Amino acid sequence: MSRSRRKTPITGVTTAETEKENKRDANRKLRRLNKIKIHKKDYDLFQLREISNVWGFDKDGKHYSKDLSKRSLRK
């Protein structure tokens, strides 16, 4: 992977690498609540955005930076 480079200089806003744990927790909560509703014969299921707030996740989005170092563009 020594020659692997990012094509666009877009990075996360904070120092958090990923939001994998946040997304995993939100989807587990969604599935658990929908499973309870199905068990009660209520088929008006929740949507993911009703359960979790993406603004509360660790990373606060991405931004474009014109002048990133070569080290920052490595994968």
Side-chain angles (χ1 to χ4, degrees):
M1 299 277 304
S2 65
R3 295 176 189 230
S4 187
R5 302 272 188 250
R6 293 181 194 267
K7 304 274 190 280
T8 56
I10 296 176
T11 58
V13 175
T14 63
T15 58
E17 287 292 322
T18 64
E19 294 177 326
K20 186 173 185 175
E21 290 294 325
N22 300 125
K23 291 177 181 180
R24 184 180 294 159
D25 293 339
N27 283 311
R28 284 179 180 174
K29 186 176 180 181
L30 174 71
R31 287 193 304 271
R32 185 173 55 244
L33 292 174
N34 280 338
K35 191 180 287 188
I36 291 169
K37 280 190 122 181
I38 289 172
H39 185 72
K40 292 180 179 178
K41 306 279 193 245
D42 180 14
Y43 298 109
D44 185 27
L45 302 178
F46 291 111
Q47 297 296 316
L48 185 59
R49 293 186 182 261
E50 295 174 336
I51 301 299
S52 67
N53 182 11
V54 295
W55 294 98
F57 286 2
D58 290 340
K59 198 164 50 171
D60 291 330
K62 298 179 179 183
H63 73 282
Y64 180 85
S65 181
K66 290 181 184 178
D67 49 340
L68 283 178
S69 64
K70 288 188 177 185
R71 183 179 177 112
S72 298
L73 292 175
R74 287 187 206 143
K75 288 187 180 178

